[in-house]
Amino acid sequence: MSFHPVISRETSSQTDDLAQRLRSTIQHAASTCECREQVDEAIARFMTLEQARRDRSALLKARGQLVRIIALTQMLAELDDISWTEVDRSAFEELAQLFDDVARAATLGSAAMQMISGEVRQ
């Protein structure tokens, strides 16, 4: 079973759409004034700040996944105490679930890093 995270580009595209609509509206209103260059600069600064906010958010998400992976790895340490002769076979299923959870957390952390890098893998 493979797990593919939903990589949300909605925030980015919504912000880009908002900025484009804002730019269009303000440029129309500012078409006769000499502040058009200032408007363009302000919108460019907004886009830069918005990208920084998205990157910071993605980094925090990746760090959260790292904390999760560390906790899960600590729980996986029980693997050292189990033998292949374990009577309670459900112990193996629980450990398998922990490995699956680590894989999901790693995939989500990777997706967050890809968003910052601008490279989204499918």
Side-chain angles (χ1 to χ4, degrees):
M1 175 174 104
S2 68
F3 172 75
H4 299 283
V6 176
I7 300 173
S8 174
R9 285 278 186 189
E10 284 182 58
T11 304
S12 178
S13 69
Q14 286 175 346
T15 302
D16 294 345
D17 291 346
L18 173 63
Q20 185 57 42
R21 289 193 312 268
L22 184 62
R23 175 180 282 128
S24 178
T25 301
I26 292 174
Q27 283 178 339
H28 178 69
S31 63
T32 58
C33 82
E34 293 153 13
C35 62
R36 189 174 192 151
E37 186 175 318
Q38 290 175 319
V39 168
D40 286 341
E41 289 171 5
I43 291 171
R45 279 192 311 272
F46 167 78
M47 294 301 294
T48 300
L49 291 171
E50 187 60 21
Q51 184 63 50
R53 185 191 66 76
R54 288 189 307 251
D55 290 350
R56 189 171 39 255
S57 175
L59 184 59
L60 289 172
K61 287 177 184 175
R63 287 178 179 161
Q65 294 306 319
L66 173 60
V67 169
R68 181 174 169 81
I69 290 168
I70 291 168
L72 290 165
T73 303
Q74 290 171 347
M75 288 188 272
L76 278 168
E78 291 178 23
L79 189 58
D80 290 335
D81 301 329
I82 198 168
S83 168
W84 61 272
T85 60
E86 176 68 41
V87 175
D88 180 8
R89 304 313 263 183
S90 68
F92 296 105
E93 178 58 32
E94 290 171 13
L95 289 166
Q97 284 294 325
L98 290 173
F99 277 112
D100 289 344
D101 290 345
V102 168
R104 275 191 284 281
T107 300
L108 291 170
S110 175
M113 293 295 90
Q114 291 169 32
M115 286 186 68
I116 294 173
S117 75
E119 178 185 323
V120 177
R121 298 181 219 153
Q122 295 299 324

